[in-house]
Amino acid sequence: VLTRNFLVFQTLNALLGLGGLALFAAWVARQARLSGPEAAGLTLLAGTSLLLTFSGRDFTMGSLDLILFAGLLRSHFARLRQPGPVAVLRVAGWLAVGLSIDYKFLLLLPILVVLEVGRADGQWRQRGLWARVLLVLAAPYILLGAVGVAAGLPWYRWLGFYIRTVVPTAANA
């Protein structure tokens, strides 16, 4: 064990949150061509959000989620500006990493589908692109599942967790 000091984990969590905030704010400021004071105002406003306020108290995945969301947002915006199969696979890669860390990235799937349908640039009609995207999305689960099986863990638990998340047994579960 490297450390049991909780302050180390709180510091790491805060640094992840600040890194995600910096990536997001810098990207938005660049895309919107904000001036220095406007970018500072954006950073202050985003920095006081509930996500950063609550995730700063405990070691949570929310701080890492912000970094992954900023990366996904940047890559999808780049895909919309310069369409191509490599850009689509890059978006799928960010989504795959996000899904393997936090199930809440499932909520981005319908949004990405609507954005892709609205774009209607024909990327999805390219031969084999769907299969490559599904392979990229499945890769972390295959890899982590193989590691789990090698460690003697039941491989089916993550699938059961996702099914229970998507199809809850009771309302508001």
Side-chain angles (χ1 to χ4, degrees), residues 65-101:
D65 287 352
L66 190 56
I67 291 174
L68 295 174
F69 177 71
L72 178 67
L73 190 65
R74 292 171 91 157
S75 68
H76 192 266
F77 191 75
R79 178 260 175 276
L80 293 176
R81 295 182 109 196
Q82 296 177 346
V86 173
V88 172
L89 293 173
R90 190 173 297 122
V91 173
W94 278 103
L95 184 61
V97 173
L99 284 170
S100 66
I101 289 177

mmCIF file of all heavy atoms in Angstrom, residues 65-101:
data_model
loop_
_atom_site.group_PDB
_atom_site.id
_atom_site.type_symbol
_atom_site.label_atom_id
_atom_site.label_comp_id
_atom_site.label_asym_id
_atom_site.label_seq_id
_atom_site.Cartn_x
_atom_site.Cartn_y
_atom_site.Cartn_z
ATOM 1 N N ASP A 65 -14.737 11.661 -14.829
ATOM 2 C CA ASP A 65 -15.793 11.764 -15.837
ATOM 3 C C ASP A 65 -15.705 13.087 -16.599
ATOM 4 O O ASP A 65 -15.946 13.132 -17.801
ATOM 5 C CB ASP A 65 -17.180 11.672 -15.201
ATOM 6 C CG ASP A 65 -17.528 10.276 -14.747
ATOM 7 O OD1 ASP A 65 -16.765 9.350 -15.054
ATOM 8 O OD2 ASP A 65 -18.556 10.127 -14.080
ATOM 9 N N LEU A 66 -15.381 14.158 -15.892
ATOM 10 C CA LEU A 66 -15.308 15.468 -16.525
ATOM 11 C C LEU A 66 -14.190 15.506 -17.563
ATOM 12 O O LEU A 66 -14.360 16.068 -18.645
ATOM 13 C CB LEU A 66 -15.111 16.551 -15.462
ATOM 14 C CG LEU A 66 -15.239 17.990 -15.914
ATOM 15 C CD1 LEU A 66 -16.579 18.236 -16.583
ATOM 16 C CD2 LEU A 66 -15.065 18.919 -14.729
ATOM 17 N N ILE A 67 -13.072 14.879 -17.251
ATOM 18 C CA ILE A 67 -11.978 14.812 -18.230
ATOM 19 C C ILE A 67 -12.415 14.002 -19.448
ATOM 20 O O ILE A 67 -12.204 14.413 -20.593
ATOM 21 C CB ILE A 67 -10.720 14.190 -17.590
ATOM 22 C CG1 ILE A 67 -10.135 15.154 -16.555
ATOM 23 C CG2 ILE A 67 -9.677 13.826 -18.644
ATOM 24 C CD1 ILE A 67 -8.980 14.595 -15.766
ATOM 25 N N LEU A 68 -13.041 12.868 -19.202
ATOM 26 C CA LEU A 68 -13.486 12.016 -20.312
ATOM 27 C C LEU A 68 -14.581 12.687 -21.131
ATOM 28 O O LEU A 68 -14.600 12.573 -22.363
ATOM 29 C CB LEU A 68 -13.955 10.665 -19.781
ATOM 30 C CG LEU A 68 -12.872 9.823 -19.126
ATOM 31 C CD1 LEU A 68 -13.464 8.578 -18.507
ATOM 32 C CD2 LEU A 68 -11.793 9.465 -20.129
ATOM 33 N N PHE A 69 -15.498 13.395 -20.468
ATOM 34 C CA PHE A 69 -16.541 14.091 -21.202
ATOM 35 C C PHE A 69 -15.949 15.200 -22.061
ATOM 36 O O PHE A 69 -16.365 15.389 -23.207
ATOM 37 C CB PHE A 69 -17.588 14.671 -20.246
ATOM 38 C CG PHE A 69 -18.647 15.459 -20.948
ATOM 39 C CD1 PHE A 69 -19.587 14.825 -21.738
ATOM 40 C CD2 PHE A 69 -18.686 16.833 -20.856
ATOM 41 C CE1 PHE A 69 -20.554 15.542 -22.418
ATOM 42 C CE2 PHE A 69 -19.649 17.569 -21.526
ATOM 43 C CZ PHE A 69 -20.591 16.918 -22.303
ATOM 44 N N ALA A 70 -14.986 15.936 -21.514
ATOM 45 C CA ALA A 70 -14.333 16.991 -22.305
ATOM 46 C C ALA A 70 -13.641 16.387 -23.522
ATOM 47 O O ALA A 70 -13.722 16.938 -24.628
ATOM 48 C CB ALA A 70 -13.343 17.763 -21.442
ATOM 49 N N GLY A 71 -12.984 15.248 -23.350
ATOM 50 C CA GLY A 71 -12.345 14.586 -24.485
ATOM 51 C C GLY A 71 -13.353 14.106 -25.514
ATOM 52 O O GLY A 71 -13.143 14.253 -26.724
ATOM 53 N N LEU A 72 -14.459 13.537 -25.041
ATOM 54 C CA LEU A 72 -15.514 13.087 -25.949
ATOM 55 C C LEU A 72 -16.123 14.257 -26.703
ATOM 56 O O LEU A 72 -16.334 14.191 -27.921
ATOM 57 C CB LEU A 72 -16.595 12.333 -25.172
ATOM 58 C CG LEU A 72 -17.792 11.849 -25.972
ATOM 59 C CD1 LEU A 72 -17.382 10.765 -26.952
ATOM 60 C CD2 LEU A 72 -18.874 11.339 -25.056
ATOM 61 N N LEU A 73 -16.380 15.335 -26.001
ATOM 62 C CA LEU A 73 -16.955 16.527 -26.627
ATOM 63 C C LEU A 73 -16.025 17.088 -27.696
ATOM 64 O O LEU A 73 -16.456 17.402 -28.810
ATOM 65 C CB LEU A 73 -17.239 17.574 -25.548
ATOM 66 C CG LEU A 73 -18.046 18.786 -25.927
ATOM 67 C CD1 LEU A 73 -19.462 18.382 -26.312
ATOM 68 C CD2 LEU A 73 -18.088 19.764 -24.759
ATOM 69 N N ARG A 74 -14.759 17.178 -27.363
ATOM 70 C CA ARG A 74 -13.784 17.695 -28.328
ATOM 71 C C ARG A 74 -13.692 16.792 -29.557
ATOM 72 O O ARG A 74 -13.657 17.268 -30.692
ATOM 73 C CB ARG A 74 -12.414 17.807 -27.673
ATOM 74 C CG ARG A 74 -12.341 18.858 -26.614
ATOM 75 C CD ARG A 74 -11.055 18.763 -25.869
ATOM 76 N NE ARG A 74 -10.063 19.613 -26.505
ATOM 77 C CZ ARG A 74 -9.011 20.090 -25.877
ATOM 78 N NH1 ARG A 74 -8.801 19.787 -24.633
ATOM 79 N NH2 ARG A 74 -8.178 20.854 -26.516
ATOM 80 N N SER A 75 -13.629 15.479 -29.337
ATOM 81 C CA SER A 75 -13.480 14.572 -30.475
ATOM 82 C C SER A 75 -14.744 14.537 -31.331
ATOM 83 O O SER A 75 -14.658 14.456 -32.556
ATOM 84 C CB SER A 75 -13.110 13.167 -29.998
ATOM 85 O OG SER A 75 -14.164 12.573 -29.302
ATOM 86 N N HIS A 76 -15.915 14.631 -30.707
ATOM 87 C CA HIS A 76 -17.136 14.621 -31.508
ATOM 88 C C HIS A 76 -17.277 15.917 -32.304
ATOM 89 O O HIS A 76 -17.706 15.899 -33.460
ATOM 90 C CB HIS A 76 -18.376 14.406 -30.638
ATOM 91 C CG HIS A 76 -19.588 14.099 -31.452
ATOM 92 N ND1 HIS A 76 -20.470 15.057 -31.863
ATOM 93 C CD2 HIS A 76 -20.026 12.934 -31.994
ATOM 94 C CE1 HIS A 76 -21.409 14.503 -32.600
ATOM 95 N NE2 HIS A 76 -21.164 13.221 -32.685
ATOM 96 N N PHE A 77 -16.902 17.018 -31.712
ATOM 97 C CA PHE A 77 -16.943 18.282 -32.441
ATOM 98 C C PHE A 77 -15.970 18.238 -33.623
ATOM 99 O O PHE A 77 -16.291 18.701 -34.719
ATOM 100 C CB PHE A 77 -16.619 19.441 -31.503
ATOM 101 C CG PHE A 77 -16.894 20.783 -32.102
ATOM 102 C CD1 PHE A 77 -18.193 21.244 -32.225
ATOM 103 C CD2 PHE A 77 -15.862 21.581 -32.540
ATOM 104 C CE1 PHE A 77 -18.447 22.491 -32.778
ATOM 105 C CE2 PHE A 77 -16.104 22.824 -33.094
ATOM 106 C CZ PHE A 77 -17.398 23.285 -33.218
ATOM 107 N N ALA A 78 -14.784 17.671 -33.406
ATOM 108 C CA ALA A 78 -13.821 17.523 -34.503
ATOM 109 C C ALA A 78 -14.371 16.597 -35.579
ATOM 110 O O ALA A 78 -14.178 16.837 -36.772
ATOM 111 C CB ALA A 78 -12.495 16.983 -33.965
ATOM 112 N N ARG A 79 -15.092 15.539 -35.180
ATOM 113 C CA ARG A 79 -15.700 14.637 -36.138
ATOM 114 C C ARG A 79 -16.754 15.337 -36.982
ATOM 115 O O ARG A 79 -16.890 15.079 -38.164
ATOM 116 C CB ARG A 79 -16.308 13.427 -35.385
ATOM 117 C CG ARG A 79 -17.027 12.408 -36.254
ATOM 118 C CD ARG A 79 -18.522 12.678 -36.157
ATOM 119 N NE ARG A 79 -19.342 11.882 -37.001
ATOM 120 C CZ ARG A 79 -19.624 12.128 -38.273
ATOM 121 N NH1 ARG A 79 -19.067 13.106 -38.903
ATOM 122 N NH2 ARG A 79 -20.464 11.402 -38.940
ATOM 123 N N LEU A 80 -17.522 16.253 -36.362
ATOM 124 C CA LEU A 80 -18.540 16.985 -37.117
ATOM 125 C C LEU A 80 -17.908 17.967 -38.096
ATOM 126 O O LEU A 80 -18.451 18.213 -39.167
ATOM 127 C CB LEU A 80 -19.477 17.725 -36.157
ATOM 128 C CG LEU A 80 -20.358 16.834 -35.278
ATOM 129 C CD1 LEU A 80 -21.165 17.683 -34.312
ATOM 130 C CD2 LEU A 80 -21.266 15.957 -36.118
ATOM 131 N N ARG A 81 -16.760 18.524 -37.731
ATOM 132 C CA ARG A 81 -16.098 19.505 -38.599
ATOM 133 C C ARG A 81 -15.315 18.833 -39.725
ATOM 134 O O ARG A 81 -15.235 19.375 -40.825
ATOM 135 C CB ARG A 81 -15.173 20.389 -37.777
ATOM 136 C CG ARG A 81 -15.949 21.235 -36.788
ATOM 137 C CD ARG A 81 -15.051 22.125 -36.028
ATOM 138 N NE ARG A 81 -15.315 23.480 -36.514
ATOM 139 C CZ ARG A 81 -14.517 24.493 -36.303
ATOM 140 N NH1 ARG A 81 -13.404 24.328 -35.652
ATOM 141 N NH2 ARG A 81 -14.835 25.687 -36.747
ATOM 142 N N GLN A 82 -14.691 17.696 -39.440
ATOM 143 C CA GLN A 82 -13.909 16.981 -40.439
ATOM 144 C C GLN A 82 -14.319 15.511 -40.413
ATOM 145 O O GLN A 82 -13.681 14.696 -39.755
ATOM 146 C CB GLN A 82 -12.419 17.124 -40.164
ATOM 147 C CG GLN A 82 -11.933 18.536 -40.266
ATOM 148 C CD GLN A 82 -10.467 18.671 -39.912
ATOM 149 O OE1 GLN A 82 -9.866 17.766 -39.346
ATOM 150 N NE2 GLN A 82 -9.891 19.799 -40.252
ATOM 151 N N PRO A 83 -15.400 15.186 -41.131
ATOM 152 C CA PRO A 83 -15.906 13.813 -41.079
ATOM 153 C C PRO A 83 -14.932 12.809 -41.686
ATOM 154 O O PRO A 83 -14.191 13.125 -42.598
ATOM 155 C CB PRO A 83 -17.203 13.879 -41.879
ATOM 156 C CG PRO A 83 -17.171 15.143 -42.640
ATOM 157 C CD PRO A 83 -16.184 16.048 -41.993
ATOM 158 N N GLY A 84 -14.956 11.639 -41.111
ATOM 159 C CA GLY A 84 -14.130 10.544 -41.610
ATOM 160 C C GLY A 84 -14.230 9.372 -40.655
ATOM 161 O O GLY A 84 -14.582 9.547 -39.482
ATOM 162 N N PRO A 85 -13.917 8.186 -41.124
ATOM 163 C CA PRO A 85 -14.029 7.010 -40.260
ATOM 164 C C PRO A 85 -13.089 7.061 -39.057
ATOM 165 O O PRO A 85 -13.418 6.571 -37.986
ATOM 166 C CB PRO A 85 -13.701 5.836 -41.178
ATOM 167 C CG PRO A 85 -13.172 6.411 -42.431
ATOM 168 C CD PRO A 85 -13.544 7.841 -42.487
ATOM 169 N N VAL A 86 -11.917 7.657 -39.206
ATOM 170 C CA VAL A 86 -10.982 7.754 -38.079
ATOM 171 C C VAL A 86 -11.580 8.625 -36.976
ATOM 172 O O VAL A 86 -11.470 8.306 -35.789
ATOM 173 C CB VAL A 86 -9.619 8.310 -38.548
ATOM 174 C CG1 VAL A 86 -8.702 8.576 -37.372
ATOM 175 C CG2 VAL A 86 -8.967 7.351 -39.527
ATOM 176 N N ALA A 87 -12.241 9.715 -37.359
ATOM 177 C CA ALA A 87 -12.868 10.602 -36.371
ATOM 178 C C ALA A 87 -14.001 9.881 -35.642
ATOM 179 O O ALA A 87 -14.166 10.050 -34.427
ATOM 180 C CB ALA A 87 -13.372 11.872 -37.052
ATOM 181 N N VAL A 88 -14.770 9.090 -36.363
ATOM 182 C CA VAL A 88 -15.858 8.324 -35.732
ATOM 183 C C VAL A 88 -15.286 7.324 -34.726
ATOM 184 O O VAL A 88 -15.796 7.187 -33.612
ATOM 185 C CB VAL A 88 -16.718 7.601 -36.800
ATOM 186 C CG1 VAL A 88 -17.711 6.661 -36.152
ATOM 187 C CG2 VAL A 88 -17.442 8.612 -37.674
ATOM 188 N N LEU A 89 -14.212 6.651 -35.106
ATOM 189 C CA LEU A 89 -13.587 5.683 -34.202
ATOM 190 C C LEU A 89 -12.958 6.367 -32.991
ATOM 191 O O LEU A 89 -12.943 5.800 -31.899
ATOM 192 C CB LEU A 89 -12.555 4.854 -34.952
ATOM 193 C CG LEU A 89 -13.130 3.920 -36.015
ATOM 194 C CD1 LEU A 89 -12.020 3.264 -36.818
ATOM 195 C CD2 LEU A 89 -14.041 2.889 -35.402
ATOM 196 N N ARG A 90 -12.466 7.589 -33.163
ATOM 197 C CA ARG A 90 -11.917 8.334 -32.031
ATOM 198 C C ARG A 90 -13.030 8.659 -31.026
ATOM 199 O O ARG A 90 -12.850 8.529 -29.813
ATOM 200 C CB ARG A 90 -11.241 9.606 -32.511
ATOM 201 C CG ARG A 90 -10.446 10.317 -31.431
ATOM 202 C CD ARG A 90 -9.646 11.491 -31.969
ATOM 203 N NE ARG A 90 -8.641 11.028 -32.930
ATOM 204 C CZ ARG A 90 -8.566 11.452 -34.188
ATOM 205 N NH1 ARG A 90 -9.394 12.347 -34.652
ATOM 206 N NH2 ARG A 90 -7.629 10.991 -34.990
ATOM 207 N N VAL A 91 -14.194 9.073 -31.528
ATOM 208 C CA VAL A 91 -15.343 9.329 -30.643
ATOM 209 C C VAL A 91 -15.738 8.037 -29.926
ATOM 210 O O VAL A 91 -15.982 8.039 -28.715
ATOM 211 C CB VAL A 91 -16.537 9.894 -31.446
ATOM 212 C CG1 VAL A 91 -17.777 9.991 -30.577
ATOM 213 C CG2 VAL A 91 -16.195 11.265 -32.020
ATOM 214 N N ALA A 92 -15.771 6.932 -30.659
ATOM 215 C CA ALA A 92 -16.115 5.642 -30.052
ATOM 216 C C ALA A 92 -15.098 5.259 -28.983
ATOM 217 O O ALA A 92 -15.455 4.684 -27.948
ATOM 218 C CB ALA A 92 -16.203 4.559 -31.126
ATOM 219 N N GLY A 93 -13.840 5.580 -29.201
ATOM 220 C CA GLY A 93 -12.804 5.296 -28.209
ATOM 221 C C GLY A 93 -13.024 6.060 -26.912
ATOM 222 O O GLY A 93 -12.928 5.496 -25.817
ATOM 223 N N TRP A 94 -13.315 7.359 -27.031
ATOM 224 C CA TRP A 94 -13.602 8.155 -25.831
ATOM 225 C C TRP A 94 -14.835 7.613 -25.114
ATOM 226 O O TRP A 94 -14.864 7.530 -23.884
ATOM 227 C CB TRP A 94 -13.815 9.630 -26.193
ATOM 228 C CG TRP A 94 -12.548 10.392 -26.364
ATOM 229 C CD1 TRP A 94 -11.970 10.771 -27.535
ATOM 230 C CD2 TRP A 94 -11.694 10.877 -25.328
ATOM 231 N NE1 TRP A 94 -10.818 11.456 -27.290
ATOM 232 C CE2 TRP A 94 -10.624 11.545 -25.943
ATOM 233 C CE3 TRP A 94 -11.734 10.806 -23.942
ATOM 234 C CZ2 TRP A 94 -9.596 12.147 -25.218
ATOM 235 C CZ3 TRP A 94 -10.707 11.408 -23.216
ATOM 236 C CH2 TRP A 94 -9.657 12.065 -23.853
ATOM 237 N N LEU A 95 -15.852 7.253 -25.887
ATOM 238 C CA LEU A 95 -17.067 6.711 -25.289
ATOM 239 C C LEU A 95 -16.791 5.372 -24.618
ATOM 240 O O LEU A 95 -17.302 5.104 -23.519
ATOM 241 C CB LEU A 95 -18.158 6.568 -26.351
ATOM 242 C CG LEU A 95 -19.524 6.106 -25.861
ATOM 243 C CD1 LEU A 95 -20.101 7.088 -24.846
ATOM 244 C CD2 LEU A 95 -20.466 5.946 -27.035
ATOM 245 N N ALA A 96 -15.977 4.541 -25.228
ATOM 246 C CA ALA A 96 -15.646 3.238 -24.640
ATOM 247 C C ALA A 96 -14.921 3.401 -23.308
ATOM 248 O O ALA A 96 -15.232 2.709 -22.329
ATOM 249 C CB ALA A 96 -14.791 2.426 -25.616
ATOM 250 N N VAL A 97 -13.972 4.312 -23.248
ATOM 251 C CA VAL A 97 -13.261 4.549 -21.985
ATOM 252 C C VAL A 97 -14.232 5.094 -20.944
ATOM 253 O O VAL A 97 -14.227 4.669 -19.791
ATOM 254 C CB VAL A 97 -12.060 5.498 -22.194
ATOM 255 C CG1 VAL A 97 -11.433 5.883 -20.863
ATOM 256 C CG2 VAL A 97 -11.028 4.858 -23.098
ATOM 257 N N GLY A 98 -15.085 6.027 -21.361
ATOM 258 C CA GLY A 98 -16.070 6.580 -20.430
ATOM 259 C C GLY A 98 -17.028 5.523 -19.907
ATOM 260 O O GLY A 98 -17.325 5.474 -18.710
ATOM 261 N N LEU A 99 -17.496 4.654 -20.784
ATOM 262 C CA LEU A 99 -18.416 3.586 -20.370
ATOM 263 C C LEU A 99 -17.742 2.570 -19.450
ATOM 264 O O LEU A 99 -18.388 1.993 -18.584
ATOM 265 C CB LEU A 99 -18.980 2.865 -21.591
ATOM 266 C CG LEU A 99 -20.071 3.604 -22.356
ATOM 267 C CD1 LEU A 99 -20.357 2.891 -23.675
ATOM 268 C CD2 LEU A 99 -21.322 3.731 -21.532
ATOM 269 N N SER A 100 -16.457 2.359 -19.644
ATOM 270 C CA SER A 100 -15.778 1.389 -18.798
ATOM 271 C C SER A 100 -15.479 1.949 -17.410
ATOM 272 O O SER A 100 -15.207 1.192 -16.489
ATOM 273 C CB SER A 100 -14.489 0.900 -19.464
ATOM 274 O OG SER A 100 -13.554 1.949 -19.561
ATOM 275 N N ILE A 101 -15.565 3.263 -17.259
ATOM 276 C CA ILE A 101 -15.290 3.882 -15.960
ATOM 277 C C ILE A 101 -16.574 4.253 -15.233
ATOM 278 O O ILE A 101 -16.667 4.112 -14.020
ATOM 279 C CB ILE A 101 -14.377 5.105 -16.143
ATOM 280 C CG1 ILE A 101 -12.989 4.603 -16.527
ATOM 281 C CG2 ILE A 101 -14.321 5.955 -14.891
ATOM 282 C CD1 ILE A 101 -12.001 5.663 -16.816
#
